[in-house]
Amino acid sequence: MSKEQIDCFNQEIQKRQSQIVRDLAVHHNDMPGDSIQSAIKQTFPQKHLYHQGQQLEKSFYDDLLQEMNVKGVKKTSKAQFAYSIRGTSIRSFPSKMFVTDNPSDNEFDLFQETALDPAEPVIILHESKSGEWSFVQTSFFRGWVPAADLAVAGVRHIWLDYLQTARFLVVTGSKLRLGYNPYSPEISELEFMMGAKISLTAQDEVPDVIDNQSPDGCYVVKLPVQGGNGELTFKQALVPRVSDVSVGYLPYTRAAVIRQAFKMQGERYGWGGLFKSRDCSAFVRDIYRCFGFHFPRNSGEQMLLPGKNFSLTGANRQERRRLLDQLPSGSLLFFPGHVMLYLGKHKDDYYVIHAIAYYGEKEKRDIDGSYIPVSLNAVAVSPLSLRRRRSGEELMMALTSSVQI
């Protein structure tokens, strides 16, 4: 696909999933308060939840409701335009507490939605009562972000100019970490995930020395930071030319998709971006970001992507094998709650690469007969004969659809 075809593909995603995937450049300055209120008013989980092994009391939810400040939403809300200044999280609710549905769980924070790279554009729709949290719209998600992790533009056009920059780097390695910088600690060792987009400084704006280092042998990028009053300003930073980055997006080919996927093999699984890692849908999204695709965040939304779609619901084993035999490598395979990147057939089994937390083994059963989950917690290559964590169903037979892009 050419750049123009990918742009059209992105527009089709926005058309199909307009409540999720947004073009921030055309966002209105003002928003009706009732639409913001409806976005904020998430229902609290109707089950026992825990923090550090202790069950959450009703007072926790009462305090959280107060902090959400739904009643403080004005009839017409004026949007603020900002950038993230460091890697941060988008949360379901304005709280940093690690909340689980199992008192012994250390992996799945139910309030964690996703992660943001540094220099990601956001639109602030609302503030929490304490002012410590901002409810934001990103290009692919809505939720709560710590206000301290954002730099707010005084005027929109400064924010927009940076968003629409024509020259930029794309992180094509699994991660990019800037070097240690004693002169500018706010940008020292910032970390970006695969697919992150970083604005390049115009050549005529590059000085002879940046933070007491020559820019020779480096790309000079421009990063958003907070000024003295917390306002948006920018600072130059250096990215060594040996880094795994690309000037502009990578050409989109199936070989390139597979190559990007294997750059993450063996890395830790991280639900919603926890532990500076990826879950299944972030794994897929980060790969495709490298080529200029703007995917939605979650697997259930990615299942609805445009492309050549096949339903596997109700298909028998023979029908599934017949489809997989025809499916090109790099296609996406889905079952509810999970997405995988298809690799192909070897001998008599079909293989995928995916970010996976657990699987099930026949020999490990609970007293009720259910499979006991076995930890993988990694980006791994596995056969579709692998079994699901509790039901024991083969991944092959769990498949509900595929998307060929």
Side-chain angles (χ1 to χ4, degrees):
M1 294 170 70
S2 66
K3 178 185 181 300
E4 291 71 27
Q5 289 172 316
I6 292 173
D7 288 343
C8 290
F9 189 93
N10 290 332
Q11 290 169 13
E12 182 62 27
I13 295 173
Q14 290 172 17
K15 190 186 302 181
R16 293 187 184 191
Q17 303 193 45
S18 60
Q19 295 304 308
I20 299 164
V21 181
R22 300 290 185 92
D23 180 358
L24 298 186
V26 299
H27 197 283
H28 297 297
N29 286 344
D30 298 323
M31 279 193 68
D34 55 358
S35 67
I36 295 175
Q37 284 183 332
S38 63
I40 294 170
K41 284 181 179 176
Q42 289 201 45
T43 304
F44 294 125
Q46 301 299 305
K47 56 184 175 181
H48 294 313
L49 296 181
Y50 303 87
H51 172 64
Q52 296 181 343
Q54 301 297 312
Q55 185 176 323
L56 298 177
E57 304 290 341
K58 181 180 179 298
S59 59
F60 169 78
Y61 299 104
D62 293 339
D63 292 344
L64 206 53
L65 197 58
Q66 288 294 315
E67 179 67 354
M68 289 163 70
N69 193 26
V70 178
K71 293 180 180 178
V73 177
K74 297 177 181 177
K75 188 174 182 180
T76 301
S77 181
K78 190 170 184 61
Q80 293 182 290
F81 300 87
Y83 283 96
S84 55
I85 58 171
R86 61 180 67 91
T88 189
S89 293
I90 298 182
R91 308 282 289 171
S92 313
F93 303 102
S95 171
K96 291 184 178 181
M97 288 176 60
F98 199 106
V99 176
T100 67
D101 58 5
N102 184 318
S104 61
D105 187 0
N106 295 312
E107 303 283 346
F108 293 88
D109 181 350
L110 300 185
F111 285 9
Q112 178 76 9
E113 293 288 356
T114 189
L116 288 177
D117 287 300
E120 291 231 37
V122 306
I123 298 175
I124 300 174
L125 305 177
H126 178 59
E127 287 188 353
S128 68
K129 188 174 183 179
S130 69
E132 294 180 0
W133 292 86
S134 299
F135 187 78
V136 305
Q137 172 75 60
T138 73
S139 61
F140 62 98
F141 214 86
R142 275 182 179 173
W144 295 92
V145 173
D149 293 342
L150 304 175
V152 182
V155 289
R156 181 177 180 175
H157 76 83
I158 293 175
W159 175 87
L160 192 59
D161 288 347
Y162 187 82
L163 176 67
Q164 296 179 327
T165 182
R167 294 191 70 250
F168 53 86
L169 288 184
V170 175
V171 177
T172 49
S174 174
K175 297 174 186 176
L176 170 71
R177 176 179 282 189
L178 301 187
Y180 176 75
N181 187 332
Y183 296 92
S184 297
E186 65 272 42
I187 59 173
S188 179
E189 299 182 295
L190 283 183
E191 191 167 70
F192 299 80
M193 303 295 273
M194 179 183 285
K197 179 180 168 183
I198 314 171
S199 176
L200 280 164
T201 301
Q203 191 59 44
D204 60 0
E205 295 178 4
V206 176
D208 293 334
V209 175
I210 297 172
D211 285 336
N212 208 32
Q213 180 180 342
S214 166
D216 288 352
C218 294
Y219 298 104
V220 181
V221 296
K222 188 164 68 171
L223 296 175
V225 296
Q226 289 181 347
N229 296 316
E231 78 282 3
L232 174 66
T233 185
F234 298 95
K235 181 159 281 192
Q236 291 179 338
L238 301 177
V239 176
R241 287 186 178 267
V242 296
S243 305
D244 195 342
V245 295
S246 167
V247 177
Y249 294 117
L250 292 175
Y252 178 57
T253 67
R254 297 200 179 281
V257 168
I258 301 301
R259 192 158 50 242
Q260 291 305 108
F262 274 90
K263 289 180 181 180
M264 295 177 274
Q265 186 181 14
E267 292 190 343
R268 199 186 199 290
Y269 176 93
W271 167 261
L274 290 174
F275 321 125
K276 297 184 179 180
S277 299
R278 301 171 178 88
D279 57 20
C280 64
S281 51
F283 168 73
V284 166
R285 185 172 179 271
D286 284 358
I287 292 168
Y288 276 86
R289 284 201 298 172
C290 297
F291 309 101
F293 289 93
H294 301 154
F295 280 10
R297 171 60 179 83
N298 292 326
S299 61
E301 299 149 2
Q302 292 174 1
M303 196 184 300
L304 304 176
L305 287 169
K308 198 171 181 181
N309 297 49
F310 298 94
S311 173
L312 288 161
T313 303
N316 61 34
R317 185 179 295 273
Q318 186 177 357
E319 291 167 337
R320 291 164 187 266
R321 293 179 68 92
R322 190 179 303 124
L323 170 65
L324 291 169
D325 285 335
Q326 300 170 3
L327 203 62
S329 300
S331 300
L332 304 180
L333 296 176
F334 297 90
F335 58 79
H338 194 57
V339 57
M340 304 169 282
L341 193 76
Y342 181 58
L343 295 177
K345 186 178 183 180
H346 177 65
K347 296 185 178 177
D348 201 38
D349 216 335
Y350 300 89
Y351 284 82
V352 293
I353 182 168
H354 52 154
I356 177 173
Y358 299 96
Y359 70 99
E361 281 187 357
K362 282 183 179 180
E363 295 75 20
K364 297 186 178 181
R365 301 287 190 105
D366 213 334
I367 54 174
D368 63 359
S370 64
Y371 285 63
I372 296 175
V374 179
S375 295
L376 261 179
N377 276 326
V379 174
V381 174
S382 64
L384 288 178
S385 57
L386 196 73
R387 296 180 180 273
R388 297 184 66 181
R389 57 179 291 182
R390 287 206 178 276
S391 68
E393 183 180 28
E394 287 183 41
L395 299 186
M396 158 84 82
M397 300 309 296
L399 295 176
T400 53
S401 65
S402 71
V403 179
Q404 178 185 334
I405 299 168

